[in-house]
Amino acid sequence: MQKESPLAFRMRPRNLDEFIGQEHLMEKGKPLREMIDKQGIYSSIIFWGPPGCGKTTLAKIIAKATGAELFELSAVSASKSDIYKIVNENLSLSNFSNPKEKRKKILFLDEIHRFNKAQQDFLLPYIENGTIILIGATTENPSFEVISALLSRSRVFTLKELNSSDLVKIINSTLINKERGLGKENILISEENKQLIANLANGDARNALNILELSFLASKSIGSATEITRETVLNSAERKLRYDKSGEEHYNIISALHKSMRDSDVQAAIYWTMRMIESGEDPKYIIRRMIRFASEDIGNADPKALQLAISAKDAVMFLGYPECNTAIVQTAIYLAQAPKSNKVYEAINIVKQQIHDTGNLSVPLVIRNAETKLMKDLGYGKDYKYAPNSNSEDIKNQQHLPDEIIGSIYYTPTEKGFEKVIKKRMN
């Protein structure tokens, strides 16, 4: 390993003893740990988790522990021909006492979600007959991005972002490691600044070590020691919010906003709105979802909610970022505080189902327009009561629904609900 390699690359764990985090998978008795300890991997694996949580590292550890030949590809640049070449590769058997023994082939395919359906289909026969064992890695929900045939042949393990305690352990390990880390350097760094690096790393071990390395390189020497200060750490970190406008986190956060507003949690509504704004979400998307919320979850319990949301849309279109952020947050606060009613939404679902069940029911003759003499002769508009010139009882009894569904109830006047919830949260 080259000394000039990035610190995060040099410090990649080589075995389970060096691996930190993912206790829900790596504790004794857990399926993945058992698989590694018993040197047995018989089905393909998909690791799903955020960047820097250990997906690639685990693939390498599994290959080493099971004595398999590891081939690494990135789905961003790999093609079918690359896979075909691996399948037909003549493997070196020099490490085996029995030259007839064949080594397993593990294909580690990073960012497997970037493979299209045809490319994923191409893998199936080789996985099916055991020619290769696939270990795929993805930051996206495999339920959406990996074909069902491949999922059914694989074991999915969900990895979590590393917590700050895990990241501090990794930082400490790096600071004392003389072979691959910074153990040969005389570095002064407080526990508070280690914690700061961990917080700024956003659950990503690679990011934490990159910040540590940049901080060390940018720090000034004090005598024979190098002191890493808070200012140096902050200058070395570029904190990025994990957000993919078309991926799962996008849907997770908009769901969090909807449910926070629905439950009248004003503080959470502000937080999730700003998370999207700070992550660069299209403001038109945010306000579009709020307009929908105003009619779906509030409806006629507070008709002003829809008016405000549409006004905020005009502000978004006129101002753009960053000036429109106040209009968006103002709307989120109002929608969260407003009384809630989903009766409009329920009415839509009821009548939609009825339409599907009953088909094209005829319009009652009494409320049809008689545009021609023939239509009039057929009874179109006969005995129609014109509301401005009729009493309320006649209008009430006039037929407006088809014969087959007379008496159907889709909507009842709403009651202003959840005021108690709102008052409790505001207090």
Side-chain angles (χ1 to χ4, degrees):
M1 184 179 298
Q2 295 294 322
K3 181 66 175 178
E4 293 75 17
S5 299
L7 181 62
F9 180 80
R10 302 200 309 267
M11 285 300 299
R12 185 187 296 277
R14 298 166 298 185
N15 51 56
L16 289 181
D17 291 335
E18 296 178 356
F19 190 85
I20 295 173
Q22 311 304 335
E23 285 81 4
H24 65 293
L25 298 177
M26 305 311 298
E27 287 180 349
K28 291 286 187 179
K30 299 296 184 180
L32 183 59
R33 180 60 183 263
E34 289 291 295
M35 184 185 299
I36 297 172
D37 285 344
K38 294 179 180 179
Q39 300 182 2
I41 175 170
Y42 305 106
S43 65
S44 292
I45 292 172
I46 294 176
F47 288 135
W48 170 32
C53 66
K55 300 185 293 294
T56 303
T57 296
L58 280 175
K60 291 177 179 291
I61 290 174
I62 289 172
K64 184 177 180 181
T66 57
E69 186 87 3
L70 180 66
F71 299 87
E72 298 182 60
L73 292 177
S74 171
V76 174
S77 57
S79 63
K80 292 180 181 179
S81 60
D82 294 317
I83 296 171
Y84 188 77
K85 182 179 178 181
I86 291 171
V87 168
N88 291 278
E89 181 96 3
N90 290 321
L91 302 181
S92 170
L93 303 176
S94 57
N95 294 330
F96 289 83
S97 58
N98 182 358
K100 294 182 179 181
E101 184 176 357
K102 292 184 178 179
R103 298 177 69 184
K104 293 178 181 177
K105 297 181 183 181
I106 291 179
L107 168 61
F108 176 68
L109 187 58
D110 198 14
E111 299 190 79
I112 190 173
H113 59 276
R114 300 296 187 98
F115 256 20
N116 60 35
K117 182 180 184 300
Q119 289 172 308
Q120 291 185 39
D121 280 333
F122 184 74
L123 291 167
L124 290 176
Y126 303 116
I127 294 172
E128 189 74 33
N129 62 25
T131 303
I132 59 172
I133 293 174
L134 172 70
I135 299 181
T138 177
T139 56
E140 302 295 331
N141 191 328
S143 301
F144 303 144
E145 305 295 342
V146 179
I147 61 173
S148 57
L150 193 52
L151 277 179
S152 68
R153 292 164 173 80
S154 306
R155 181 77 180 268
V156 177
F157 291 103
T158 303
L159 279 69
K160 303 175 182 179
E161 68 177 28
L162 299 177
N163 58 42
S164 59
S165 176
D166 292 331
L167 293 172
V168 169
K169 289 178 184 177
I170 292 171
I171 291 168
N172 285 331
S173 175
T174 302
L175 290 171
I176 64 174
N177 190 307
K178 295 182 179 181
E179 178 188 355
R180 296 177 291 138
L182 299 175
K184 292 182 179 180
E185 311 292 342
N186 188 4
I187 298 175
L188 302 176
I189 179 171
S190 67
E191 294 300 319
E192 289 78 8
N193 286 335
K194 292 177 187 178
Q195 188 65 53
L196 177 61
I197 293 174
N199 293 340
L200 292 172
N202 206 28
D204 185 332
R206 187 184 304 108
N207 196 13
L209 293 184
N210 286 342
I211 296 172
L212 176 62
E213 184 172 30
L214 288 173
S215 299
F216 167 69
L217 294 175
S219 295
K220 297 179 180 179
S221 296
I222 301 176
S224 61
T226 300
E227 182 179 16
I228 297 178
T229 64
R230 176 182 175 83
E231 182 181 5
T232 306
V233 170
L234 291 173
N235 289 337
S236 301
E238 181 183 358
R239 185 157 196 172
K240 296 180 180 179
L241 295 173
R242 187 169 62 253
Y243 192 80
D244 185 338
K245 294 181 184 179
S246 61
E248 190 198 5
E249 197 69 358
H250 164 84
Y251 297 106
N252 286 342
I253 292 181
I254 193 61
S255 176
L257 173 60
H258 268 236
K259 291 176 174 64
S260 298
M261 294 190 299
R262 181 178 293 151
D263 295 344
S264 301
D265 190 331
V266 175
Q267 313 309 327
I270 295 171
Y271 173 80
W272 292 118
T273 300
M274 284 305 299
R275 270 286 295 273
M276 286 191 287
I277 291 173
E278 289 298 296
S279 298
E281 177 59 80
D282 184 348
K284 295 190 292 295
Y285 171 79
I286 302 174
I287 206 64
R288 187 163 63 244
R289 300 314 307 161
M290 290 183 175
I291 290 172
R292 169 69 185 194
F293 180 91
S295 59
E296 177 182 335
D297 283 88
I298 297 174
N300 290 327
D302 183 358
K304 291 181 181 179
L306 184 58
Q307 297 174 21
L308 177 66
I310 292 174
S311 295
K313 181 263 295 182
D314 292 337
V316 165
M317 300 298 290
F318 184 69
L319 294 173
Y321 275 152
E323 288 86 354
C324 72
N325 60 5
T326 52
I328 297 174
V329 173
Q330 177 188 355
T331 306
I333 293 170
Y334 188 95
L335 297 181
Q337 290 180 316
K340 307 300 189 298
S341 170
N342 68 341
K343 290 185 178 295
V344 171
Y345 180 66
E346 287 182 345
I348 289 171
N349 289 333
I350 293 169
V351 74
K352 182 169 67 173
Q353 185 61 52
Q354 189 180 59
I355 290 169
H356 288 171
D357 292 343
T358 58
N360 297 312
L361 300 180
S362 298
V363 176
L365 288 174
V366 68
I367 57 172
R368 297 188 191 186
N369 280 339
E371 300 291 342
T372 66
K373 182 179 182 301
L374 175 61
M375 295 165 77
K376 188 173 183 179
D377 292 342
L378 291 173
Y380 282 37
K382 184 180 180 180
D383 298 328
Y384 171 69
K385 304 295 188 298
Y386 181 54
N389 299 334
S390 305
N391 62 56
S392 59
E393 194 63 28
D394 287 340
I395 299 304
K396 180 180 178 181
N397 293 328
Q398 186 157 256
Q399 182 179 346
H400 299 97
L401 286 172
D403 294 341
E404 295 87 344
I405 58 172
I406 288 177
S408 295
I409 302 296
Y410 310 116
Y411 179 85
T412 54
T414 186
E415 295 180 3
K416 291 187 176 182
F418 298 121
E419 286 94 340
K420 292 182 179 179
V421 175
I422 295 171
K423 289 179 182 177
K424 183 178 180 180
R425 291 196 183 279
M426 293 304 291
N427 292 333

